[in-house]
Amino acid sequence: MGTIEPGATADVAPAETDERTRSRLLRAAVCIFDRKGYAAASVREIVEIAGVTKPALYYHFGSKERLLTTVLDEACREFTAAMERAVARKGTARQRLEALCEDLHGLFQEHVPVVRVAHATFFGPVEGAPPFDFTLFDRRLEAAVRRIVEEGQAAGEIATAASAADVSLVIMGVIGVFAVRQIHYSFEPIGLDTMRRVIGLIFDGVLREQGQQGERRQ
Amino acid sequence: MGTIEPGATADVAPAETDERTRSRLLRAAVCIFDRKGYAAASVREIVEIAGVTKPALYYHFGSKERLLTTVLDEACREFTAAMERAVARKGTARQRLEALCEDLHGLFQEHVPVVRVAHATFFGPVEGAPPFDFTLFDRRLEAAVRRIVEEGQAAGEIATAASAADVSLVIMGVIGVFAVRQIHYSFEPIGLDTMRRVIGLIFDGVLREQGQQGERRQ
C-alpha cells in the first residue's frame, strides 16, 4: 500500500516511500522503547513520532512486538557481519581480536539507543519478553573469538594451554564492560586506547616474571 | 503501628512482627518486580503476596519506589561487605582476587531474583528509573580490585606495567559475564572451576612464550 509520508512528492517511487516509512517507524520505535521501555511504549506515540499512520505500522510490521524483534534482528545481523569480517581478517590472533573489539565498540557507539533497547529487553522481565533468541549474539561472538584463538594456537601465537572457550569468556567480559560504559547514562564511556591496553593485558598476563614484563608490554 | 500478620500470635513482640512484615514485603516486591518488571508491578499484588495490608506497606516503605531502592540498597550493602572482606583477606593478590570473584559468584547465586531486578532496573528506561546511584557497585568493586592489585604490585607479585585500573576492568568483565549466565533464563550458569581457570588466564596471559606457558598454568 505505501502510506504517503508528509513531504513525500509524487515522483518518489512507491517502493522507496515504503522503505522510508519502514525505517522511520524503526527509528521512532527505538526512540520510544529507549525512553519509556518496550512495555510502556504505545503504538500511537510511535506513529506520531514517525509521522506516519497506524495502518502503515501494521502494514509494515503487524505489531509492536514485531517492531521490536525487527530492531533486534537487524542489529544482530550488523553485529554478526562485524564478527564475520573479524574472522576473515588477516593478521595475528591478537591483531584480529583487537580489531574485533574495536569494531564492536564502534558499532555500539553508532547505535547507542538500539544497544540500550537490546540490553533493556534482554534484562527485562520474562513476562512480556519478545520472542527473540538472546543467546544468538553471545553464541556468534563466542564462535568468532574461539575461531581466531584456535587459529592463533595453530600458528603458535597463543599458548595451547589457554582454552579457546576461556579466552572467549574474557574477551566477552571486556566487550560487555566497555559496552555498559558506552550505553548507560550514569557512566562515562571508556576510550579505545584503554580497550587496546586491556586486551594487551589479557595477552601478556598480569604476572610479574623475571624482568621480561616490561619488554613484552609496550 | 505494626500490622498483625496472619498467623502471628499474641506473644510475638511488636518489633519482631514489624521486622517480619518488612522482610515479607521485600521478598514479595522482589518476586513481582522480577516477574513483571518494576513499572508493571502493583502495590496491590505485592501486599497480596506478602500477606499484609496496604497500610503496612506504606508504614514500612512509604512507596513502591522506596521498596525498590531498599532492595537495591540492601543488596549493595551485602556485596560491599564481600568486597571489604576480600580486601581484608590474607594471601597473594591472585588468591584474593579469586576469592573475591568466588564470593560474588556465590552471592549472585544466593540472590538471583534480586540481582535480576537490579540488572533490569539498571538497564531499564531512564523514565521511571528509581533514585539510586547505579555506579556505586561498580565504583566499590573497582576500588577493591585496584587495592588488591596495588598491594600485589607492592609485593612484587603483579607486574607494575599492568595498570590497576585496567586489571579492574578485566576482572569486572569476568564477574559481569559470569553473572549474566547465572541470572538470565536463556543461559546455563558457568561453574566456579571455569571462573578459576579464567582468572588464571588473566594472570598468566594467553601469549605463547618459549615453552614456559605449560609450567606457569596449572
Side-chain angles (χ1 to χ4, degrees):
Chain A
M1 68 177 226
T3 307
I4 298 301
E5 292 180 25
T9 57
D11 54 46
V12 172
E16 200 181 314
T17 320
D18 252 28
E19 193 40 56
R20 264 206 246 158
T21 304
R22 192 179 171 282
S23 72
R24 270 178 182 227
L25 277 163
L26 287 173
R27 275 202 308 277
V30 167
C31 169
I32 301 287
F33 292 160
D34 186 24
R35 205 166 70 207
K36 305 206 150 185
Y38 171 71
S42 78
V43 162
R44 188 186 48 71
E45 281 171 299
I46 296 171
V47 298
E48 259 175 40
I49 291 207
V52 305
T53 62
K54 255 193 198 184
L57 183 148
Y58 289 113
Y59 166 72
H60 283 283
F61 298 100
S63 65
K64 186 177 85 164
E65 187 181 86
R66 188 87 195 86
L67 207 43
L68 174 61
T69 54
T70 305
V71 167
L72 298 176
D73 279 337
E74 297 196 351
C76 199
R77 215 173 1 253
E78 196 165 346
F79 284 95
T80 303
M83 296 173 203
E84 284 164 1
R85 282 195 302 277
V87 170
R89 207 173 266 137
K90 302 271 169 255
T92 63
R94 179 169 176 161
Q95 287 166 339
R96 292 161 77 203
L97 286 177
E98 257 174 27
L100 169 60
C101 291
E102 284 177 25
D103 286 357
L104 290 180
H105 191 267
L107 278 176
F108 289 145
Q109 202 52 48
E110 219 176 289
H111 301 290
V112 165
V114 173
V115 179
R116 209 149 47 200
V117 168
H119 275 78
T121 323
F122 178 74
F123 287 109
V126 181
E127 257 179 44
F132 184 78
D133 179 5
F134 282 112
T135 66
L136 213 60
F137 180 82
D138 261 53
R139 283 190 285 118
R140 287 180 180 166
L141 180 54
E142 207 202 328
V145 176
R146 235 176 218 260
R147 175 86 180 271
I148 297 173
V149 171
E150 283 165 359
E151 289 174 5
Q153 289 175 324
E157 299 160 17
I158 291 184
T160 48
S163 121
D166 292 351
V167 181
S168 292
L169 285 173
V170 182
I171 296 283
M172 290 200 294
V174 169
I175 291 172
V177 90
F178 277 76
V180 169
R181 305 297 180 112
Q182 280 179 293
I183 65 168
H184 202 274
Y185 59 90
S186 321
F187 289 103
E188 289 293 316
I190 317 177
L192 271 182
D193 45 337
T194 304
M195 189 180 239
R196 270 181 224 118
R197 270 202 330 269
V198 164
I199 295 167
L201 199 65
I202 294 168
F203 270 83
D204 294 335
V206 302
L207 270 193
R208 173 170 201 157
E209 293 175 290
Q210 57 283 23
Q212 298 174 357
Q213 207 72 22
E215 301 161 37
R216 280 164 51 209
R217 179 171 308 115
Q218 50 234 329
Chain B
M1 68 178 229
T3 308
I4 298 303
E5 292 179 27
T9 57
D11 53 47
V12 173
E16 200 181 314
T17 320
D18 253 30
E19 193 39 57
R20 263 206 245 159
T21 303
R22 192 179 173 281
S23 71
R24 270 178 182 225
L25 277 163
L26 288 173
R27 275 202 309 276
V30 168
C31 169
I32 302 287
F33 293 160
D34 185 25
R35 204 166 70 207
K36 306 207 150 181
Y38 171 72
S42 77
V43 162
R44 190 185 47 70
E45 282 172 297
I46 295 171
V47 296
E48 259 175 38
I49 289 208
V52 306
T53 62
K54 255 191 197 185
L57 183 147
Y58 289 113
Y59 166 71
H60 283 284
F61 297 99
S63 65
K64 185 176 86 163
E65 189 181 86
R66 189 87 194 86
L67 207 43
L68 175 61
T69 53
T70 305
V71 166
L72 298 175
D73 279 337
E74 296 196 352
C76 199
R77 212 170 6 247
E78 196 166 347
F79 284 95
T80 303
M83 295 172 203
E84 283 166 1
R85 281 195 301 277
V87 170
R89 208 174 265 136
K90 300 272 168 255
T92 63
R94 179 168 178 164
Q95 287 165 338
R96 292 161 77 202
L97 286 177
E98 259 174 25
L100 170 59
C101 291
E102 284 176 26
D103 285 357
L104 291 180
H105 191 268
L107 278 176
F108 289 146
Q109 201 53 47
E110 220 176 289
H111 302 290
V112 165
V114 174
V115 179
R116 208 147 50 199
V117 168
H119 276 78
T121 323
F122 177 75
F123 287 109
V126 181
E127 257 181 44
F132 184 78
D133 179 5
F134 282 113
T135 66
L136 213 59
F137 180 82
D138 261 53
R139 283 191 286 119
R140 288 183 181 165
L141 180 54
E142 207 202 329
V145 175
R146 236 175 216 261
R147 175 86 181 271
I148 296 174
V149 170
E150 283 164 0
E151 289 174 5
Q153 289 174 325
E157 299 159 17
I158 292 184
T160 49
S163 120
D166 292 353
V167 180
S168 291
L169 285 173
V170 182
I171 297 283
M172 289 200 295
V174 169
I175 290 170
V177 89
F178 276 76
V180 170
R181 305 299 179 111
Q182 278 179 294
I183 65 168
H184 202 275
Y185 58 91
S186 320
F187 288 104
E188 289 293 317
I190 317 177
L192 271 181
D193 45 336
T194 305
M195 189 179 239
R196 271 182 224 116
R197 272 203 327 270
V198 163
I199 294 166
L201 199 64
I202 296 167
F203 270 83
D204 294 334
V206 303
L207 270 193
R208 173 167 200 160
E209 293 175 288
Q210 56 284 25
Q212 298 173 354
Q213 207 71 21
E215 298 159 41
R216 279 166 49 210
R217 181 170 305 113
Q218 43 234 328

